Structures are given as C-alpha cells and as structure tokens.
Amino acid sequence: MNLGLEGTRVLVTAGASGIGLATARAFQAEGARVHVCDVDTASLAALASSNPDVGRSQCDVSDATAVDRLFETVVASLGGLDVLVNNAGIAGPTARCEDVVLADWERTLAVNLTGQFLCARRAIPLLRASRNASIANLSSAAGRFGFPMRSPYAASKWAVIGFTRSLSIELGSDGIRVNAICPGSVAGPRIDAVFANKAQARGVSPETIRQEALAKTSLGQLIEPEDIGHAIVFLASRAGARISGQAIGVDADVQALV
C-alpha cells in the first residue's frame, strides 16, 4: 500500500529512542523527511550513526525557549512542517498521592502535557500551510483508566486526550487532523523500570507485575514500539485523511490497569 508520504516533513519529539525512534524510522521508510529532538545526547549521537539522514536537535520540550529554537531549526532544515508527533513524555513517580513530591508532579505535567502545548502552538501556523497536515499526541492506556500509584502520569495522559479533542475541533476548518495514540505497556527499558518501581512499592517481583499487566490484555502481549509508529504513519497518510479527534488504543486490548 502506497501511503503517499514521499517528501512529507515530520517532527518527532523524543525521537532518538523507543517509540519516537520507531516512528521516525517508519516515516523515513515511506520517504518522509524527518527531524527528531531529544534530551538524551547519547541517543542522538547513536541516531547520527544509524540514521544519518534524520535531522537531530537536543531539546527539552517543557522549556519554551528551547522549543522556539527547535522550530527555528526545523523550518530551516525542512522548510515547513506537515506532521507533528508529540511523543515526549516521562513516567513520573510511583507513589501514593500523599507521598508524591510536588516537584515530581509538576515535572511530569510539564513534560507530558505542557510540552505538547508548546510544540503544538509553534507547529500550527506551519501546518496550516500544508496540504496534508496532522498532529499525533501520545497519550496512554493510563489516559483511559484509573492508575493508582501513578496519579501524575495518569492525570497528564487524560489531559492529553482532552487537549487532542479540543484541538481537533479548533483546527478542523484548517484541514489539520489531530489524534491521540494510547499505547499499552510498550516493551523496552522504560516499562521495565516502571515494573521494577511498582514491584518495589508493593514488595513483589518485577515479573509478578509484568504478568499482572499481560493478564489485563485480551492478547496477552506487550506492545512493540513499531506498532505505535505504524499507527501514527497511517494516521498521517491520505488513508487516514478523515480520522480526527480520536483516542486510538494500540494496547493489545487493555481491559484495566489494576
């Protein structure tokens, strides 16, 4: 299936590893021109070796000044923008609400929610000039269910869905599609750390937490980063031209998080 993305200009935040890297590579495989940003300089350096044609910037998306610099670089290198993938996010603390440190709460929302706002507000004027414009905001299965011990993360991901649906209405007349992706547990170091932290808090093994998570999915599987990338690429293509305002689960059919 030809998705018609040749030459499409794409920005992926937190694109040097994990879901972001898989998404960047999926777009590149379709002939898109891709720029990524990340806070991790080591991952950016590795990307320079593995995918030298992908543009790279160091950027903390919660820093408005850094985001402004990022978009100056994107415009200079790509000449505009057709797709924004708001992928940057952090896991936040694992603790009961009364034990969460305020700074950890604020940092989680700053990256997971404010970062998407800062990138969207800079991207929207560029996307209005595109003939096939879209935004993909990364939410989570935690944006659909309650998630005890992870209240900062869950709050941020529920908010992403509200932000997404509001932008879809706001930008529909401009022809800009906006969707949220709600991954389940994605295989990789990040979910391993989440399982380990939750296991420590409950006094059980990480494998126990992992098996509990799998038991709550119909397919009994973790998600691969490439699964997310493929969904985002489809939504950005002409095949997804009439899909907007949706919160799409790519989660092996998660039924609950607890």
Side-chain angles (χ1 to χ4, degrees), residues 19 29 48 60 64 85 138 142 151 169 190 206 237:
I19 292 171
D60 176 351
V85 181
L138 269 290
S151 57
I169 298 168
R190 178 168 164 177
S237 74

Side-chain angles (χ1 to χ4, degrees), residues 150-174:
R150 300 287 304 286
S151 57
Y153 182 78
S156 71
K157 294 303 185 177
W158 278 78
V160 165
I161 293 176
F163 181 55
T164 297
R165 289 181 168 156
S166 298
L167 279 186
S168 176
I169 298 168
E170 186 175 321
L171 301 176
S173 61
D174 295 310

Side-chain angles (χ1 to χ4, degrees), residues 93-105 149 151-152:
T94 300
R96 290 183 174 276
C97 182
E98 67 269 27
D99 297 324
V100 172
V101 176
L102 177 58
D104 291 340
W105 169 275
M149 308 289 288
S151 57

